[in-house]
């Protein structure tokens, strides 16, 4: 049974930093591309970033480029999202997701491609 669990959310002031973690079990982690997504109240889910199976390539949304960094440690079955220079508009529930991809150099930026999702972790940025 596949399980995906996020952690690391919390309350931070604008300009601060947080690091989110996501641990996946029940799958061969390095066969899966991983993605971060977020959803603010009253808004649609938004893709934040994704990373290829071995972490060679990443994709980041324009809204977070230069501030957020996505990485993974396949030995620990863990995905990370380092968030710096946080803004109030980054406030959302952040979700981690996994999808099996045969192409080790590709990660889907759209959440529709992903089949395994965590429960989410709340990030609140105060102004």
């Amino acid at each position: 049974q596949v399980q995906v669990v996020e952690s690391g959310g919390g309350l931070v002031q604008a300009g601060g930093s947080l690091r989110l973690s996501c641990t996946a079990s029940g799958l061969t982690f390095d066969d899966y591309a991983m993605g971060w997504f977020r959803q603010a109240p009253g808004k649609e889910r938004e893709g934040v970033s994704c990373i290829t199976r071995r972490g060679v390539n990443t994709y980041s949304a324009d809204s977070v480029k230069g501030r957020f960094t996505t990485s993974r440690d396949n030995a620990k079955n863990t995905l990370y999202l380092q968030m710096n220079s946080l803004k109030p508009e980054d406030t959302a529930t952040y979700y981690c997701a996994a999808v099996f991809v045969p192409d080790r150099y590709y990660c889907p930026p759209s959440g529709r491609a992903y089949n395994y999702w965590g429960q989410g972790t709340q990030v609140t940025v105060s102004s």
Side-chain angles (χ1 to χ4, degrees):
Q1 181 181 357
V2 176
Q3 286 193 316
V4 178
V5 180
E6 305 94 339
S7 62
L11 173 64
V12 64
Q13 288 189 330
S17 298
L18 279 175
R19 188 175 82 155
L20 304 184
S21 299
C22 167
T23 301
S25 60
L27 50 73
T28 303
F29 190 67
D30 59 6
D31 282 345
Y32 285 72
M34 302 295 294
W36 286 104
F37 302 86
R38 66 187 182 185
Q39 188 165 20
K43 294 188 176 181
E44 291 188 354
R45 185 179 63 199
E46 174 189 19
V48 174
S49 67
C50 70
I51 188 166
T52 55
R53 287 166 46 180
R54 295 188 181 179
V56 173
N57 296 323
T58 60
Y59 157 85
S60 294
D62 288 344
S63 57
V64 305
K65 276 181 183 174
R67 300 189 298 122
F68 291 11
T69 302
T70 301
S71 61
R72 63 191 292 166
D73 185 340
N74 286 354
K76 296 181 178 179
N77 280 23
T78 302
L79 171 73
Y80 302 100
L81 183 67
Q82 177 66 45
M83 305 185 293
N84 299 328
S85 302
L86 282 160
K87 304 175 180 180
E89 51 264 44
D90 295 318
T91 294
T93 301
Y94 283 70
Y95 298 91
C96 167
V99 60
F100 175 80
V101 288
D103 183 349
R104 69 182 65 178
Y105 299 112
Y106 174 68
C107 65
S110 170
R112 288 190 294 272
Y114 290 77
N115 19 37
Y116 299 111
W117 290 81
Q119 294 298 307
T121 186
Q122 178 67 36
V123 172
T124 304
V125 184
S126 63
S127 56

